Amino acid sequence: MSLNIKLNENFFNVKKSYLFSEIAKRVKEYSEKNPEKKIIRLGIGDVTLPLPRVAVTALKKAADEMGSAATFRGYAPEYGYDFLREKIADYYKRFSVSRNSEEIFVSDGAKSDVGNIVDILGDNEILIPDPVYPVYLDSNVMSGRKISLLKGTRENGFLPMPGSTEKKPYVIYLCSPNNPTGAVYSREQLKAWVDFANEAGSLIIFDSAYEAFISGDYPHSIYEIDGTDSCAVEICSFSKTAGFTGTRCAWSVFPDKLTVGDTKLSALWSRRQATKFNGVPYVVQRAAEAVLTDEGIKECKALVEYYMENARIIAAALKNSEIEFVGGENSPYLWLKCPKNMGSWEFFDYLLESAQLVGTPGAGFGEAGEGYFRLTSFGSRENTLEAAKRIDALFGKN
Ligand code: PLP
């Protein structure tokens, strides 16, 4: 017998996420028909290199502490251990940003924070870039919010700006470096968004999950821009920087000055986390702490550099093939225009059939992604070199 309860019907409005299952299905069909062909996957957004050594050492040490009555720990504080909150506050000093450890809330992932922040916000109008990480859109559709999309196009460098947007109190999502396009906002561009938000009383939710991949003169944190404390939450993660996709640790910054009337957003977030979240494991927080030591940061830089060398290898093959692309300079993602005006899925099939290469169709990141394709530099060096060779062989001009 069926239940008689009411469901959150907004869930019926969430587009079925068939992107990665459809990719898996097409790859499986192809490999069943062509078992002798070696397929190379440059589609995933997951890392492949192991954890930094400092993180593993810290994990082992913390595990030993958990095994001894004198040093055992139970529930972790909901907002994170002070040792990690302080370390994260210290990390911001590298960008000349001054943050108080009490403004930092440790969590089990940027995805959780991006998805959960909707809990503390009312029925606001939402501005979301397109294409972008799909969680912003889906979590707001699940909550029945009114959403407007900000198109990222080749003309605006895939970096939508406020332009003539009416000054209203929106909740605005910004992702820089952007997944999937790899585009990064400059200081001037972020300043324009911050000015817009402050004038309109809007909130910016700034996702800096890929900040560690920035090598040029771009802001790593939105708090590098003046006036941001009154308008922005920042969400960052250890996932891509330190290979924590399976280890799980991230943080959000709720500045003390971020208020609606007399209410601090940090107070609502504290309440939300204390009610619905029981903290990140002690061992994981110790590993995260180790990652933010000088030695840890050095190791993470080496991981990032490995992936960025992969990005340069792919970029060289695309250039030689005269395939238009952006990204790959301050981000592990390369965003290319499908050759011969092919659609995203058409190009996916073409690349799979002709070169046994798997990427991600841009259409999976929003309507504006149609006709584009994402390649990632998170593969092994060997696979990346082979992929570049195949791109050259298929499209290369020299
Ligand atoms: N934000 C962006 C832009 C991402 O691309 C991803 C993962 O791919 C996340 C957040 C999720 O990060 P986490 O592993 O910390 O949940």
Side-chain angles (χ1 to χ4, degrees), residues 45-46 107-114 132-133 135-136 175-179 207-210 235-240 244-246 248-250 333 374:
D46 201 354
S107 78
D108 64 350
K111 188 187 223 176
S112 314
D113 289 357
V114 164
V132 85
Y133 183 52
V135 180
Y136 315 149
C175 180
S176 179
N178 177 284
N179 176 11
D207 185 338
S208 59
Y210 297 95
I235 300 176
C236 196
S237 171
F238 291 93
S239 281
K240 309 297 160 96
F244 269 47
T245 51
R248 312 302 305 142
C249 198
Y333 298 122
R374 189 189 78 173

Side-chain angles (χ1 to χ4, degrees), residues 146-224:
K146 180 169 185 283
I147 299 161
S148 303
L149 298 174
L150 302 160
K151 298 277 177 211
T153 60
R154 155 213 240 175
E155 287 68 35
N156 63 20
F158 301 96
L159 293 166
M161 295 299 296
S164 56
T165 310
E166 195 187 335
K167 293 213 168 75
K168 288 201 296 188
Y170 300 102
V171 172
I172 304 161
Y173 289 77
L174 298 178
C175 180
S176 179
N178 177 284
N179 176 11
T181 67
V184 200
Y185 280 111
S186 69
R187 263 164 237 289
E188 295 67 34
Q189 288 172 317
L190 273 190
K191 176 84 175 101
W193 271 116
V194 168
D195 288 348
F196 174 86
N198 277 325
E199 282 165 32
S202 294
L203 170 71
I204 295 175
I205 299 174
F206 188 74
D207 185 338
S208 59
Y210 297 95
E211 63 81 15
F213 292 81
I214 296 175
S215 57
D217 182 24
Y218 296 93
H220 288 243
S221 161
I222 194 162
Y223 303 118
E224 292 177 49

Side-chain angles (χ1 to χ4, degrees), residues 19 27 69 109 154 199 227 253 267 270 277 282 310 313 366 395:
L19 179 65
V27 171
R154 155 213 240 175
E199 282 165 32
V253 182
S270 302
F277 182 59
Y282 174 68
N310 284 351
I313 291 167
F395 305 103

